[in-house]
Amino acid sequence: MAAQRPTASSRRPLLCLCLTAPTIQGDLAILKDYGGWADIAELRVDCLSAEERAHAARLPSLTALPVILTVRRTADGGFFSGSEADRVRLLSSLVGAGFTHVDLEEDLSAPALDRASEAAGLRVIRSLHDPAGVPADLHARLERLARSPGEIPKAAVTPRSSTDLDRLLRTVESVEGRERIVLGMGEAGFCTRVLAGKIGSMLSYASAPGMAAAPGHTDPRTLAELYRFRLISPRTQVYGVMGNPVSHSLSPLIHNRGLAALGVDAVYVPFLVDDPAAFLPAAELIGVGGLSVTIPHKQAVLPLLGASDGPVEAAGACNTMWKTEKGWAGTNTDIEGFLQPLRRAFGGAVPAALSAVVLGAGGAARGVMAALSSLSARVLVLNRNRERARDLAASFGAEWGSLDASGAARATGAALIVNTTRVGMGDSADQEPLPSYAFSGREVVYDLAYGRKETAFLSRARAAGCRTISGEEMLLAQAYLQFRTFTGREFPSDVKEELESAARSGGLAGA
Ligand code: NAP
């Protein structure tokens, strides 16, 4: 699976659209809306209502796409709850209806159905499912899965940790020489769905939004357009973001837009990582060349770095790693990413001896303190946990206090207020970190939090006449620097303009 090694399938991976509506009419609507991004469809007959199953044979003739026939039982995450005999009868009644493939489980013993499928010219996908984990004997089971040379073995398993993901990828690499379908279900397995072309899986499944056929499905448009799924091959360079949680991250949107605009053969993937030390061997196996590091790993990765630079030292945290011949090197683009929008807000240069208030004393606050320290700013740190405020302030020769009305009173007169607490992030946009603070209208107010809408803290500051800087502006600035570190190229200016305009008008998620 290493970057240059030819894998089991050197062909481009196929994007399979799962048809999971309760009616044939509903499935046709999914095909109409999303079929344009797909190479093949899978009719999940088990998702159809009992009456509609009688019409399943019509579907293959109603689409130009090849169609896989699947009747998934409840034990494997599907909806068919009848007996195995009933399921085999249903499958047997459909094999001659124009489907191109049929998905049959490893433990299904139905020789007549196997023969009927072969006689009808269907290719059998012989599948094993584990909705709870990655089986210890996965290698042996994958090796003996196909019952004849024409069958396609498929493993759909559920990595629950970085260790599981590493084990899954190593197993896949060790199974050589034939077409296969391998996918990790759930968020920790999402990367395998995007990287099918890299890990030698002949196809990846996608579902219409809100109709996921299995945990971790994304929609075909996102797979095809954002991740440029079909272009991913064993030679594609992989970058990504590791975090926990990570599904909310806007970094894949930013980096993939930049990579696509430059026409670079590379993709940027979200990796749900519970343990960076366990994840890095898996990343190396895939051939990951660079990683953004986000919550909660920015400090945990420090011992894993073979080399780091001044910004890492100053912030005591690393948000950017890249692979070198000697191991992983790290830098921190949060500091400069914080400073660039700040300079813009002050018209190009931040005044000397600026008085600033930093709300919060976590990892992000440390980076902000390092940035403000480089400006020789006078800083007051306010935090809910007073000890953390005191410790952070002590490291930078700053003052400290509580995140309450007494702190708000001490903040009065500051030229810059920065929120680095988690308050305002994501779904908490309506909450404020320091509601008792009265804006004078003369402050620059910077909120590292971002989400689907402007935070209440920034809205109130803007209404009071303050200049405001959103978390998305910092996110973009630090991402452009990471992009240069990863690719050696500047982030394309036309995409920059689009993303910045989206950040100003309603948020990046709409870009
Ligand atoms: P962290 O190390 O976990 O620190 C969290 C901080 O938030 C602590 O100061 C904590 O106070 C405070 N906090 C949490 N819940 C609170 C509450 N209900 N009321 C008051 N304070 C609360 O996290 P981090 O890495 O510093 O990240 C902080 C935020 O910055 C996150 O939302 C992150 O997404 C954002 N961020 C944005 C960017 C960007 O580019 N825009 C970059 C980095 C980080 P205690 O010490 O009292 O627990």
Side-chain angles (χ1 to χ4, degrees):
M1 198 180 317
Q4 262 71 34
R5 194 175 77 65
T7 52
S9 168
S10 297
R11 274 188 280 158
R12 297 294 183 188
L14 305 177
L15 199 161
C16 179
L17 172 62
C18 294
L19 306 176
T20 53
T23 61
I24 294 293
Q25 218 41 47
D27 284 334
L28 291 175
I30 294 175
L31 277 166
K32 181 165 172 279
D33 291 344
Y34 296 98
W37 285 286
D39 305 296
I40 186 167
E42 177 189 52
L43 178 61
R44 284 283 301 274
V45 180
D46 55 296
C47 295
L48 292 170
S49 68
E51 311 82 68
E52 286 285 316
R53 284 177 192 166
H55 306 295
R58 285 174 48 218
L59 192 117
S61 64
L62 300 174
T63 173
L65 291 176
V67 186
I68 302 170
L69 167 63
T70 300
V71 184
R72 186 77 64 233
R73 56 197 171 191
T74 47
D76 293 328
F79 294 95
F80 191 89
S81 55
S83 70
E84 274 299 77
D86 283 348
R87 199 166 71 96
V88 169
R89 256 192 299 279
L90 178 57
L91 282 161
S92 303
S93 72
L94 291 169
V95 287
F99 292 93
T100 53
H101 299 70
V102 60
D103 185 315
L104 302 176
E105 296 78 5
E106 63 170 343
D107 61 335
L108 180 69
S109 177
L113 175 58
D114 291 352
R115 282 195 299 278
S117 303
E118 196 185 331
L122 273 72
R123 286 201 71 188
V124 172
I125 297 170
R126 190 67 65 177
S127 60
L128 79 85
H129 299 259
D130 191 336
V134 179
D137 58 350
L138 181 61
H139 177 92
R141 284 169 70 183
L142 257 175
E143 286 281 10
R144 61 171 187 260
L145 207 49
R147 294 181 191 169
S148 69
E151 291 197 0
I152 302 164
K154 167 184 163 184
V157 298
T158 312
R160 298 273 180 207
S161 63
S162 303
T163 306
D164 277 357
L165 178 67
D166 184 53
R167 202 155 52 78
L168 171 60
L169 293 169
R170 273 171 215 286
T171 304
V172 173
E173 189 183 50
S174 65
V175 177
E176 295 281 358
R178 59 161 66 242
E179 281 181 306
R180 62 187 176 216
I181 300 169
V182 178
L183 51 101
M185 295 188 281
E187 203 185 332
F190 178 75
C191 56
T192 64
R193 296 185 182 279
V194 174
L195 296 174
K198 183 87 180 173
I199 66 174
S201 180
M202 68 172 268
L203 63 75
S204 189
Y205 297 87
S207 299
M211 303 195 74
H217 272 206
T218 190
D219 69 277
R221 182 178 183 173
T222 300
L223 213 48
E225 292 190 350
L226 179 64
Y227 292 106
R228 295 183 296 155
F229 169 81
R230 274 195 205 80
L231 300 182
I232 297 173
S233 76
R235 289 169 303 285
T236 301
Q237 177 63 68
V238 181
Y239 306 112
V241 50
M242 67 158 137
N244 185 8
V246 77
S247 60
H248 69 285
S249 174
L250 293 169
S251 296
L253 170 78
I254 301 167
H255 285 269
N256 282 319
R257 290 283 296 271
L259 294 169
L262 292 181
V264 180
D265 182 13
V267 63
Y268 184 101
V269 186
F271 293 105
L272 180 71
V273 169
D274 62 337
D275 176 357
F279 172 68
L280 287 186
E284 286 165 23
L285 196 64
I286 304 169
V288 172
L291 285 165
S292 309
V293 186
T294 188
I295 284 180
H297 300 315
K298 289 184 185 182
Q299 277 151 323
V301 298
L302 294 178
L304 307 174
L305 298 176
S308 58
D309 60 5
V312 170
E313 190 92 348
C318 164
N319 80 331
T320 311
M321 295 169 63
W322 68 100
K323 191 77 174 66
T324 72
E325 281 176 6
K326 292 183 182 157
W328 290 92
T331 187
N332 190 315
T333 65
D334 279 340
I335 298 179
E336 184 56 22
F338 170 79
L339 286 172
Q340 285 184 2
L342 190 65
R343 290 191 202 106
R344 277 201 299 271
F346 279 103
V350 182
L354 179 86
S355 69
V357 178
V358 173
L359 312 180
R366 187 161 281 278
V368 167
M369 292 297 286
L372 292 174
S373 161
S374 74
L375 299 171
S376 307
R378 289 176 289 115
V379 184
L380 167 65
V381 179
L382 301 178
N383 194 45
R384 184 178 60 174
N385 177 318
R386 288 169 54 85
E387 285 73 37
R388 287 182 86 187
R390 186 194 59 204
D391 293 349
L392 180 63
S395 313
F396 291 92
E399 293 183 34
W400 62 277
S402 307
L403 191 67
D404 58 15
S406 68
R410 289 177 63 195
T412 305
L416 170 68
I417 310 230
V418 188
N419 174 37
T420 75
T421 72
R422 290 189 186 213
V423 182
M425 190 72 187
D427 292 337
S428 68
D430 292 333
Q431 293 165 28
E432 283 201 42
L434 198 54
S436 56
Y437 179 77
F439 293 106
S440 69
R442 290 185 295 277
E443 310 91 332
V444 169
V445 181
Y446 200 149
D447 196 342
L448 266 58
Y450 57 85
R452 279 190 293 277
K453 58 179 183 176
E454 186 176 58
T455 63
F457 192 55
L458 279 194
S459 299
R460 191 162 67 82
R462 210 155 39 79
C466 301
R467 280 166 290 167
T468 58
I469 308 171
S470 76
E472 290 197 343
E473 292 177 64
M474 172 173 167
L475 182 76
L476 286 171
Q478 62 81 32
Y480 301 152
L481 296 166
Q482 290 183 329
F483 190 90
R484 189 168 63 197
T485 302
F486 295 156
T487 64
R489 310 216 10 210
E490 289 302 327
F491 197 89
S493 52
D494 49 340
V495 185
K496 248 187 201 182
E497 272 168 36
E498 279 172 34
L499 294 174
E500 281 163 17
S501 137
R504 281 191 300 273
S505 57
L508 278 173

